[in-house]
Amino acid sequence: QAQLVESGGGLVQAGGSLRLSCAGSGRTFRNYLMGWFRQAPGREREFVAAIGWSGASTFYADSVKGRFTISRDNDKDMVYLQMNSLHPEDTAVYYCAADLNWKIPAKMVVPTEWSSWGQGTQVTVSS
């Protein structure tokens, strides 16, 4: 199981930008499928984005497509989520996730399919 630590959350006005970082551990970081989820108060954990081992394959929820970009740097054991044009409805705790298994999109969006999670970082977007 990977150890993950998120950072970069904060308060931003609608239309603004924020970049989240996830620091991974272990010698096999580059073998993990990586993803971002978010959870707002009173809501289920929601898939945001995922990226394959090499960074060549990316997947996004429809709600963030065109606004968010996921990337990774395996040499630094890091994954990022660049968030632009933020909306108040993007307000949530954002979690980094990792798993050794590739997943089809139908399974990728299911939180229980992922084996490792960070502690989360709060993103608040004001109106």
Side-chain angles (χ1 to χ4, degrees):
Q1 190 173 290
Q3 283 243 342
L4 308 171
V5 180
E6 303 98 331
S7 62
L11 176 64
V12 65
Q13 289 189 320
S17 297
L18 211 57
R19 190 180 81 155
L20 306 183
S21 298
C22 175
S25 65
R27 296 170 181 84
T28 61
F29 177 83
R30 64 184 65 234
N31 299 128
Y32 282 83
L33 178 70
M34 302 297 299
W36 288 95
F37 287 73
R38 65 188 183 186
Q39 189 165 20
R43 287 190 159 272
E44 296 293 314
R45 193 163 295 191
E46 175 190 31
F47 173 77
V48 176
I51 188 166
W53 300 282
S54 70
S57 299
T58 57
F59 304 86
Y60 297 94
D62 288 342
S63 59
V64 307
K65 196 172 298 179
R67 300 188 297 122
F68 291 10
T69 302
I70 188 170
S71 61
R72 69 190 297 164
D73 186 341
N74 289 336
D75 292 333
K76 298 179 180 178
D77 288 356
M78 297 287 290
V79 63
Y80 307 97
L81 185 69
Q82 178 66 47
M83 305 184 294
N84 298 327
S85 301
L86 284 161
H87 303 155
E89 51 264 45
D90 295 318
T91 295
V93 176
Y94 282 70
Y95 297 91
C96 182
D99 201 86
L100 282 168
N101 298 315
W102 178 255
K103 310 169 196 304
I104 60 172
K107 290 189 174 181
M108 200 175 290
V109 302
V110 180
T112 53
E113 291 288 332
W114 297 74
S115 62
S116 300
W117 294 88
Q119 84 290 345
T121 185
Q122 177 70 48
V123 172
T124 303
V125 184
S126 62
S127 301

